[in-house]
DNA sequence: ACCCTGTTCAAACGGACGTTTGAAGGCTAT
DNA sequence: ATAGCCTTCAAACGTCCGTTTGAACAGGGT
């Protein structure tokens, strides 16, 4: 039975990925050095460049490892919804839940890296480094296109430009909710850390986002700009 | 008329602040070196440490310069609302607009640093560096307390915990809207850069946030966690 | 004329960074 | 055994970092 030799203690590559994920979340990309990563992963300093080629390629691998399955789950969920609907328009809130759920599911895995990752991800949308934003954008693009189309079909009456902005708002709310660790505590006053309840959070988010998405249109494009 | 000697070309301190603001926004805090800052500001490398003491103190000064007036404006706007209402409860949307407007106003100043700053600010909420998040939190605390109280009064029927989360969501939407430069373009497909129309953006944000804030409560705290 | 205070300057400090190198191990297949 | 490949390792590479230093320069008050 030599087959189970697949995972000795944990293969060097994934030990590096785990360590990098945790440290990126804690100190950011520029704030995390190769020496910190390799020390935490208990591997030699040169191992990162050997296995990944460069620090930047490691960053990319950290994102791909979890983001690709996550977006695949989003697309699968949308497929399922559309199949069940048999051509009928989808309920906006159902689309929202399909998009939000995969990221919240990662929040639940607690001590596993998923929780770290999802917070890291929430922060990545606003990264200063152009390369990283581009990477994130590229990884999101396919799922984003699908969801944009779904919303357009579900909200045929809404002006496209307004819809784009509302998707932007929804995206921001989600990203920020995932990334921010302190702010709820800041607003709430104290609230120690009862573990995130992902199910309840999904209810709250879905209610908030669905209402925002369906809000009455503002007195619109009329040029009232001239001060 | 020797009085106008007040601004020679621009005092060293504020040249540094301007350069740092622009570069922090472009490359982040860790990604911006003192040498980049002083080169752009056309001052000697040692000038930052002479005038501010350290790089971290410079970061703090960059934030304080604009954030203190901005939060003061928020509090003043709330004061005005409450005076006008003479004790009656405020409309939630009016509170939202009072909070949102001061940051959007900075978006309008275009080539001036305000636009840079507000995007920098949107990113700062999710900074990895603990010190910076604490700084931001401290600078926001007074305004935040006032607005929390105002929302509690305006929405007396809403459970406090739900309100805290909805404030969190609103805050995230605003922060993200300010910070994100590409995402709208990503969703929209192309949309080149017609200049941000801050007034229209305020309408859109206010409509979205007010609807989210007033959304029907989700089937609430019932423990449906056990999967 | 003098010193004093505030500011600018070129140069250097030690340390941390990402990456590269070449040798040493550990395997399996021959 | 031997050859080959994949992986690990300690050490060093050159570069850039934030900060410090001590001298030079300015201007006004006495």
């Amino acid at each position: 039975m030599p087959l189970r030799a697949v995972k000795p203690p944990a293969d060097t590559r994934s030990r590096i990925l785990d360590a990098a994920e945790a440290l990126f979340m804690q100190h950011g990309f520029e704030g995390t050095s190769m020496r910190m990563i390799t020390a935490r992963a208990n591997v030699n300093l040169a191992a990162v460049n050997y296995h990944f080629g460069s620090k930047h390629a490691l960053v990319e691998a950290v994102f791909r490892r979890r983001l690709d399955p996550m977006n695949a789950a989003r697309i699968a969920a949308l497929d399922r919804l559309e199949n069940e609907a048999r051509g009928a328009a989808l309920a906006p809130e159902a689309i929202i839940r399909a998009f939000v759920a995969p990221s919240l599911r990662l929040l639940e895995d607690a001590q596993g890296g998923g929780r770290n990752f999802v917070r890291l991800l929430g922060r990545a949308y606003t990264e200063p480094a152009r390369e990283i934003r581009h990477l994130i954008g590229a990884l999101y693009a396919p799922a984003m296109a699908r969801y944009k189309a779904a919303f357009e079909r579900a909200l045929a009456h809404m002006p496209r430009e307004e819809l784009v902005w509302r998707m932007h708002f929804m995206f921001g709310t989600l990203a920020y909710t995932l990334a921010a660790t302190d702010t709820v505590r800041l607003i709430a006053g104290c609230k120690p850390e009862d573990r995130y309840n992902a199910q309840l959070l999904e209810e709250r988010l879905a209610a908030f986002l669905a209402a925002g998405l369906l809000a009455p249109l503002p007195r619109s494009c009329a040029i009232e700009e001239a001060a």
Side-chain angles (χ1 to χ4, degrees), chain A:
Chain A
M1 55 184 73
L3 241 297
R4 70 104 133 82
V6 155
K7 286 228 173 187
D11 142 284
T12 298
R13 261 185 74 99
S14 48
R15 283 226 308 287
I16 293 175
L17 286 172
D18 290 339
E21 185 174 71
L23 289 169
F24 285 159
M25 143 71 196
Q26 205 166 112
H27 304 103
F29 303 106
E30 304 223 47
T32 301
S33 71
M34 309 249 96
R35 286 165 177 83
M36 292 164 70
I37 296 170
T38 52
R40 174 165 181 143
N42 265 317
V43 301
N44 185 271
L45 169 59
V48 172
N49 283 283
Y50 175 77
H51 284 282
F52 297 92
S54 69
K55 185 182 180 179
H56 178 76
L58 170 62
V59 172
E60 178 163 341
V62 166
F63 277 117
R64 280 193 188 282
R65 176 171 66 152
R66 302 211 195 251
L67 201 47
D68 284 343
M70 190 169 114
N71 277 329
R74 286 188 165 126
I75 291 179
L78 194 51
D79 285 338
R80 212 176 315 122
L81 279 181
E82 289 177 342
N83 280 342
E84 286 168 1
R86 305 196 166 282
L90 298 179
E93 182 167 339
I95 306 177
I96 290 173
R97 294 184 109 98
F99 189 89
V100 162
S103 46
L104 291 186
R105 210 163 303 138
L106 279 186
L107 261 186
E108 285 177 310
D109 105 351
Q111 45 88 11
R115 177 103 163 263
N116 270 346
F117 176 76
V118 85
R119 284 157 69 178
L120 178 61
L121 181 61
R123 194 195 297 140
Y125 304 129
T126 58
E127 255 295 302
R130 191 170 305 245
E131 302 158 326
I132 294 183
R133 286 203 317 272
H134 283 12
L135 170 64
I136 299 289
L139 293 182
Y140 264 98
M144 202 59 102
R146 284 290 312 273
Y147 274 80
K148 189 188 170 204
F151 279 123
E152 282 175 349
R153 196 135 26 92
L155 300 161
H157 61 288
M158 182 177 292
R160 293 297 148 98
E161 202 183 326
E162 189 69 30
L163 176 58
V164 166
W165 276 102
R166 293 192 175 182
M167 285 184 64
H168 182 59
F169 296 154
M170 290 195 296
F171 209 70
T173 307
L174 176 61
Y176 187 76
T177 300
L178 299 179
T181 60
D182 315 316
T183 318
V184 171
R185 223 168 307 157
L186 176 70
I187 302 176
C190 55
K191 254 304 159 195
E193 44 201 304
D194 49 343
R195 170 148 293 139
Y196 271 107
N197 180 336
Q199 179 59 41
L200 183 51
L201 182 51
E202 180 179 334
E203 300 301 324
R204 293 190 157 126
L205 255 176
F208 181 89
L209 295 178
L213 177 62
L214 299 172
L217 295 180
R219 321 168 256 130
S220 75
C221 317
I223 311 104
E224 45 185 324
E225 183 181 12

